[in-house]
Amino acid sequence: MEAIGVLMMCPMSTYFEQELDKRFNLFRFWNFPQKEEFLKQHSSSIRAIVSNAWAGARPELIDALPSLEIVANHGVGVDQIDLGKCKEKGIRVTNTPDVLTEDVADLAIGLILATMRRISECDRYVRSGLWKKGDFKLTAKFSGKTVGIIGLGRIGTAIAKRAEAFGCPISYHSRSKKPDSNYEYYPNVVDLASNCHILVVACSLNDDTRHIINHEVIDALGPKGVIINIGRGAHIDELELVSALVEGQLGGAGLDVFEHEPEVPEQLLGIDNVVLLSHVGTGTVETREAIADLVIGNLEAHFLKKPLLTPVV
């Protein structure tokens, strides 16, 4: 398959690039500063795009590649891919569910603990020598707190199971009630927030879920509530979040994603009851290799005219 042109949108991992190089004619888009000229020169030979959460397949790119057959996404969320345009042109789209579920769920629990027990702040307290002047302040307990989850899919369910191990009652909001779930369902996000201590965002990003966390939801959660986001940055209205944290209207936040990555609102950097991560939910060696292998498996299946492993479109 070496003659098949594959356009990789941005750096992902050395392992992934090496494995793609073995099988395809790999174009690293970031190495070509003159993007329009590059696309004109290679448009007919590029038959696949490898995208991710930061760099996808927008309409203008799809239109510039007349030979494009498949967009293979390195991750679950496909909000950076114009699915409508792909359907219109008969371009297949794949993603990588399941292989990243455990890591993201683990990180969500880590963020809850780090935020409520102020682990990062306490670490800084010790490093700065302040412990010699007195004990660190008391924090909030996690075990037994009510956890509300927005999006009870694979990742949301995995988070719920982990939180149950901490004795936490679970409730959730999703597009519809899950018939196989015993967790309490709220058809309205504000009602969910009003009835939980910790609100975890684990849904996909679309027009309905963009800024699903707004001032009304934050007010319902209250000054002792905590928001955890391992979904997409645009799930939260960041201006409203910052305002609530600064004014003490929210108890804390653990954030792995931001609306304009890698930019982070400057005010968040100085707030102690916020834990900030750099979109590392899938960031383990094991999972990144598994994701890469699944992307490659989908590409190989497509070009060998076999059923796709994890099709979206």
Side-chain angles (χ1 to χ4, degrees):
M1 299 185 190
E2 290 184 7
I4 295 173
V6 173
L7 180 64
M8 193 176 200
M9 295 302 296
C10 64
M12 297 180 200
S13 76
T14 301
Y15 169 80
F16 193 19
E17 290 182 38
Q18 289 174 344
E19 293 302 309
L20 286 170
D21 269 325
K22 291 176 186 177
R23 296 164 172 82
F24 305 101
N25 180 21
L26 182 62
F27 296 100
R28 295 163 172 84
F29 203 29
W30 62 95
N31 284 340
F32 298 93
Q34 304 298 324
K35 301 260 186 297
E36 288 187 17
E37 187 60 35
F38 164 79
L39 291 173
K40 287 178 183 177
Q41 185 177 350
H42 297 282
S43 62
S44 61
S45 63
I46 293 173
R47 297 170 62 189
I49 288 175
V50 173
S51 61
N52 69 2
W54 297 275
R58 310 315 299 168
E60 59 275 11
L61 178 62
I62 294 171
D63 286 336
L65 299 173
S67 300
L68 184 63
E69 300 173 25
I70 182 171
V71 180
N73 192 58
H74 184 279
V76 172
V78 291
D79 48 281
Q80 293 295 320
I81 301 170
D82 191 314
L83 297 180
K85 176 73 75 171
C86 288
K87 288 179 183 177
E88 176 190 318
K89 289 181 168 284
I91 297 166
R92 304 303 307 273
V93 177
T94 64
N95 66 349
T96 59
D98 297 319
V99 294
L100 50 72
T101 298
E102 305 303 325
D103 265 353
V104 178
D106 288 350
L107 192 77
I109 298 300
L111 274 172
I112 293 172
L113 285 165
T115 303
M116 299 192 71
R117 297 301 305 272
R118 302 290 187 94
I119 292 173
S120 299
E121 185 184 355
C122 190
D123 175 81
R124 294 191 294 271
Y125 188 85
V126 174
R127 291 175 187 273
S128 66
L130 289 173
W131 191 16
K132 297 174 184 176
K133 299 180 181 180
D135 290 341
F136 189 68
K137 61 191 173 187
L138 298 180
T139 59
K141 184 179 181 179
F142 170 37
S143 294
K145 291 292 199 302
T146 303
V147 175
I149 300 173
I150 302 176
L152 200 68
R154 294 178 180 89
I155 294 172
T157 300
I159 293 168
K161 289 179 179 177
R162 285 159 170 74
E164 279 189 293
F166 286 83
C168 298
I170 308 297
S171 53
Y172 73 99
H173 165 79
S174 61
R175 284 174 293 183
S176 58
K177 187 174 182 179
K178 305 292 183 182
D180 55 347
S181 173
N182 293 321
Y183 303 137
E184 186 166 5
Y185 172 69
Y186 288 94
N188 184 288
V189 178
V190 174
D191 290 340
L192 175 67
S194 297
N195 289 280
C196 68
H197 298 103
I198 303 158
L199 186 61
V200 182
V201 185
C203 55
S204 59
L205 179 64
N206 52 48
D207 290 341
D208 293 330
T209 62
R210 188 176 298 275
H211 285 190
I212 195 169
I213 304 296
N214 52 31
H215 75 277
E216 192 177 3
V217 174
I218 293 170
D219 286 347
L221 194 56
K224 292 185 178 180
V226 169
I227 289 175
I228 303 296
N229 190 6
I230 47 79
R232 287 286 188 266
H235 282 129
I236 297 179
D237 185 327
E238 285 188 345
L239 292 177
E240 295 289 352
L241 177 70
V242 170
S243 176
L245 288 164
V246 169
E247 294 173 14
Q249 296 171 346
L250 186 66
L255 309 171
D256 185 41
V257 288
F258 302 88
E259 197 160 6
H260 304 291
E261 296 175 2
E263 299 299 324
V264 176
E266 190 171 351
Q267 283 177 288
L268 288 179
L269 303 180
I271 303 175
D272 283 331
N273 59 337
V274 179
V275 178
L276 309 172
L277 303 183
S278 54
H279 201 149
V280 293
T282 65
T284 66
V285 172
E286 297 89 344
T287 290
R288 289 290 173 86
E289 288 191 3
I291 293 172
D293 290 341
L294 184 50
V295 172
I296 292 167
N298 275 307
L299 290 172
E300 290 181 329
H302 173 76
F303 290 117
L304 292 172
K305 301 190 183 307
K306 295 180 178 181
L308 296 176
L309 303 179
T310 51
V312 175
V313 174

